[in-house]
Amino acid sequence: MDSTEYGSPHDIVHDQTVYNLIAALHLDAMRIDLQNGNGVAPQLGAGNTSGLGDPWVQAIDKMGAKPIIRLHTMGENDNGADSGGSAADAQAMVSRYTANYASYGLSKPVQYYVIGNETNANDSSGSNFIAFASGMRSAANGQTIYIGGPAWGWYDEGTMTTYHNHTKGTAGGPDFLDYHQYGNGGNTHMTPTQLQQELNGGGTGGDVQEYGTVSYQAEVAKLHADTGLPIEVGEWNLSWGSDPAQGQPFNAIWGASVIGNIVKAGGISMEYGDSSGSLMGVVSQNDTPMPLYYAYYMFTGGDLFQHFGTNMVLTSVTGDTTSNVQGSNVVKNSTLEVFASNNPKNIVVINKDPNTTQMGTVSLTGYDSGTMNVWQTTGNALPTHIATNVAITNGTFTYSVPPYSITTFVLGN
């Protein structure tokens, strides 16, 4: 998740309730936007919150997530001005948070950095990466770091592969590629029909709307095939402005589909952001969970059940179709999506139909008998424990899932 600085004072540093809600998700990583300048300590680099960066990195570290630090570069245009980050700033950041992490209140060294943010035409060649990366790796003083970029403002296969090709021979090249992708963009309010098209993978126009949530899977798969690098969708949300649907249960269903499709392609999912001051966050400015909060919960298990596993398991659903999207073949289903994992064993079922309960018979391979617990949300509350010790017999079980719902089946090992 991206930890934005747009939600002050309702954020993970200034609001204990928000901190507790985010910590309860048990996230793997959180991004924070920082910049140095003229030798001063790192400062918050975006949004309407100012101040030192240390408390933010410390808060992320304290909740058990890995901090991902986004570094400012020349050519950016954050808040209407060139942010003017330098190679010396980047080295100082790595020296502080990686080489000397314990001196700044961290339990472990920061390993992940992203160079730049939506520099777009100003850095398609990767000049900032070339200028920054070598010094950053030296400043790590033997600690392992992973450096990504260019945090492109939208999916652009040509630019991303060009960036990779221009930088791969310099200072080891990027360790991962990062780009941003929003559903419909701006303050466009999509109609219920358009929203359903985006969820199902139909419709026309816009960014993701053209192909639905499966486009995330297609984009990640294609960029990985092009470059061989891990791919991070460093920002995603239904809109980069405010759409009423972001505050409605629909957005939990949409968000769970996006998370599942990114992970299915082997990608890194970084939703924007924790509490953004509008409808974009997972926590509102009233310190209450937003629908996307519940989408995350069904994968991480929060404080209620086991986290989705480390290995994705192949799934198929009656009614699946295969389409070529953004140069990749993806499987989509207008009614149900299923994502399953080993280590540990979880199955996440999303019913994308707004009106109809779906009854499904689930057949498992390599798991003949056992029991499972069942958790479910319709996107407007924490998951409810709806069944305990459900029997699996001869590798099958049958279950019904209500309209617009996310159900997680937690299997014993």
Side-chain angles (χ1 to χ4, degrees):
M1 180 185 293
D2 297 329
S3 177
T4 73
E5 303 96 86
Y6 289 89
S8 180
H10 300 281
D11 55 49
I12 62 171
V13 170
H14 301 100
D15 188 326
Q16 188 65 42
T17 299
V18 173
Y19 174 89
N20 291 343
L21 284 168
I22 301 300
L25 287 176
H26 298 296
L27 298 167
D28 184 64
M30 293 184 74
R31 189 194 78 177
I32 185 66
D33 186 309
L34 300 180
Q35 61 181 335
N36 278 40
N38 300 319
V40 302
Q43 305 286 310
L44 295 174
N48 57 13
T49 308
S50 60
L52 290 171
D54 287 2
W56 291 76
V57 183
Q58 291 163 358
I60 294 169
D61 176 76
K62 182 181 177 182
M63 66 175 64
K66 302 178 184 71
I68 299 178
I69 295 178
R70 203 281 288 177
L71 301 169
H72 282 229
T73 61
M74 297 297 292
E76 290 182 42
N77 203 19
D78 283 344
N79 299 326
D82 190 320
S83 60
S86 70
D89 292 340
Q91 291 176 42
M93 199 86 71
V94 174
S95 176
R96 188 182 192 91
Y97 293 129
T98 303
N100 298 291
Y101 67 94
S103 299
Y104 296 98
L106 302 181
S107 68
K108 54 187 176 295
V110 172
Q111 293 187 296
Y112 298 89
Y113 294 86
V114 176
I115 295 175
N117 182 65
E118 300 189 357
T119 53
N120 300 339
N122 294 310
D123 196 23
S124 60
S125 66
S127 59
N128 286 318
F129 181 92
I130 292 169
F132 284 27
S134 180
M136 290 172 64
R137 291 193 168 109
S138 295
N141 196 29
Q143 298 282 2
T144 300
I145 63 172
Y146 303 93
I147 307 174
W152 209 250
W154 58 86
Y155 175 73
D156 186 333
E157 181 190 357
T159 295
M160 298 286 281
T161 53
T162 297
Y163 175 93
H164 171 246
N165 290 332
H166 281 180
T167 59
K168 64 182 179 181
T170 305
D175 298 296
F176 60 95
L177 292 175
D178 179 291
Y179 76 99
H180 302 167
Q181 181 67 287
Y182 288 84
N184 62 324
N187 293 307
T188 302
H189 297 172
M190 290 193 287
T191 67
T193 298
Q194 290 173 319
L195 289 167
Q196 196 64 37
Q197 287 174 333
E198 181 162 316
L199 180 61
N200 292 347
T204 57
D207 296 325
V208 179
Q209 184 180 339
E210 184 172 357
Y211 299 113
T213 55
V214 294
S215 68
Y216 287 97
Q217 180 193 150
E219 293 164 2
V220 169
K222 189 67 172 69
L223 284 175
H224 176 69
D226 288 344
T227 65
L229 293 177
I231 307 300
E232 176 176 280
V233 186
E235 291 183 17
W236 64 261
N237 208 297
L238 183 64
S239 169
W240 51 260
S242 292
D243 189 310
Q246 290 168 290
Q248 299 167 2
F250 164 86
N251 208 26
I253 311 306
W254 185 88
S257 178
V258 173
I259 292 170
N261 275 288
I262 292 173
V263 174
K264 186 175 183 178
I268 303 160
S269 166
M270 300 287 292
E271 181 269 335
Y272 185 98
D274 62 352
S275 182
S276 67
S278 64
L279 294 173
M280 294 177 66
V282 299
V283 178
S284 76
Q285 293 298 284
N286 295 320
D287 286 7
T288 56
M290 296 285 283
L292 275 176
Y293 187 88
Y294 307 124
Y296 266 109
Y297 219 106
M298 300 309 290
F299 282 94
T300 72
D303 288 330
L304 296 178
F305 54 90
Q306 70 186 18
H307 199 291
F308 196 77
T310 59
N311 300 317
M312 185 70 89
V313 172
L314 182 66
T315 62
S316 62
V317 182
T318 300
D320 280 346
T321 58
T322 302
S323 300
N324 188 277
V325 177
Q326 305 285 47
S328 297
N329 288 327
V330 294
V331 174
K332 60 183 182 179
N333 188 303
S334 61
T335 302
L336 294 171
E337 282 187 299
V338 179
F339 305 102
S341 70
N342 270 323
N343 194 35
K345 295 177 172 62
N346 281 18
I347 303 171
V348 178
V349 177
I350 305 170
N351 183 0
K352 300 189 292 184
D353 192 303
N355 302 308
T356 306
T357 295
Q358 300 294 325
M359 176 66 75
T361 297
V362 180
S363 299
L364 306 175
T365 300
Y367 194 94
D368 292 332
S369 63
T371 61
M372 63 182 180
N373 295 329
V374 187
W375 298 81
Q376 192 172 84
T377 184
T378 54
N380 55 11
L382 284 177
T384 300
H385 195 183
I386 61 173
T388 302
N389 295 327
V390 176
I392 299 168
T393 305
N394 296 323
T396 66
F397 65 90
T398 300
Y399 222 88
S400 63
V401 289
Y404 267 2
S405 65
I406 312 166
T407 305
T408 300
F409 302 91
V410 178
L411 280 66
N413 286 317

